[in-house]
Amino acid sequence: QSVLTQPPSASGTPGQRVTISCSGSSSNIGSKTVNWYQQLPGTAPKLLIYSNDQRPSGVPDRFSGSKSGTSASLAISGLQSEDEADYYCATWDDSLNGWVFGGGTKLTVL
Amino acid sequence: QVQLVQSGAEVKKPGSSVKVSCRASGGIFNSYAISWVRQAPGQGLEWMGGIIAIFNTPKYAPKFQGRVTITADKSTTTAYMEVRSLRSEDTAVYFCARHSGYSYTSDFYMDVWGKGTTVTVSS
């Protein structure tokens, strides 16, 4: 069981907007910033969003992040076939004194 | 542009040890922390621990304390992660990841990742 809870799957058609949620607690999301990673099949994770809502250089503005209380969300607008991947949220947990990840959400573009 | 180059795939017997390396190129190694994250087949990401290169001070997730050793060699800009007493459940891809600053704590996210090293534990 992961400390951060994500839906195991999500889907959408090209052009649609999808959101992926990440639920935690006061010792992690509630008091720390959240990062999101995209993992394409057979590759290493890639930083998608950092500090809740910041995009690294090169990440399209179709990807956006937000946080409220002990939950965070990743939104992908204008869905494209190349967005089909696994998405993970991550943050520091003060109780565990370490980094924790969500269980991952597999996004399927129909 | 910093890159993290990891060592090649390993096949190990249960009870043995494995040491994976992660060489940083194109950046200032001492200014950053390095974490190790593993991913079992078909599973999610799991943080194992990290090290602040300039101080060579490691930190471990409770699950791995005592069985994992993380070190850094500043002269070769290489981080290492050793797992002892391997069991089948340690079969996974092991990633090293650079943090955005000098520490592995909350303000410094993992921004650059190595391609991963596959470790297979089988008798």
Side-chain angles (χ1 to χ4, degrees), chain A residues 2 8 14 29 32 52 63 75-76 89:
Chain A
S2 301
I29 294 178
K32 306 297 176 189
N52 301 329
F63 294 91
I76 309 171
C89 57

Side-chain angles (χ1 to χ4, degrees), chain B residues 7-8 10 12 16-22 36 69-71 79-84 86 117 119:
Chain B
S7 49
E10 303 261 15
K12 294 292 184 180
S16 66
S17 300
V18 67
K19 192 170 186 177
V20 181
S21 67
C22 170
W36 289 88
T69 299
I70 296 173
T71 55
Y80 299 91
M81 190 278 304
E82 180 182 35
V83 184
R84 298 176 294 280
L86 286 165
T117 297
V119 175

Side-chain angles (χ1 to χ4, degrees), chain A residues 29-73:
Chain A
I29 294 178
S31 56
K32 306 297 176 189
T33 57
V34 177
N35 310 304
W36 289 89
Y37 296 90
Q38 177 193 59
Q39 187 177 33
L40 298 170
T43 69
K46 169 192 170 185
L47 180 65
L48 205 60
I49 297 287
Y50 67 94
S51 298
N52 301 329
D53 57 8
Q54 301 299 301
R55 279 187 310 278
S57 171
V59 173
D61 59 6
R62 302 187 296 105
F63 294 91
S64 62
S66 64
K67 190 188 98 166
S68 179
T70 58
S71 293
S73 291

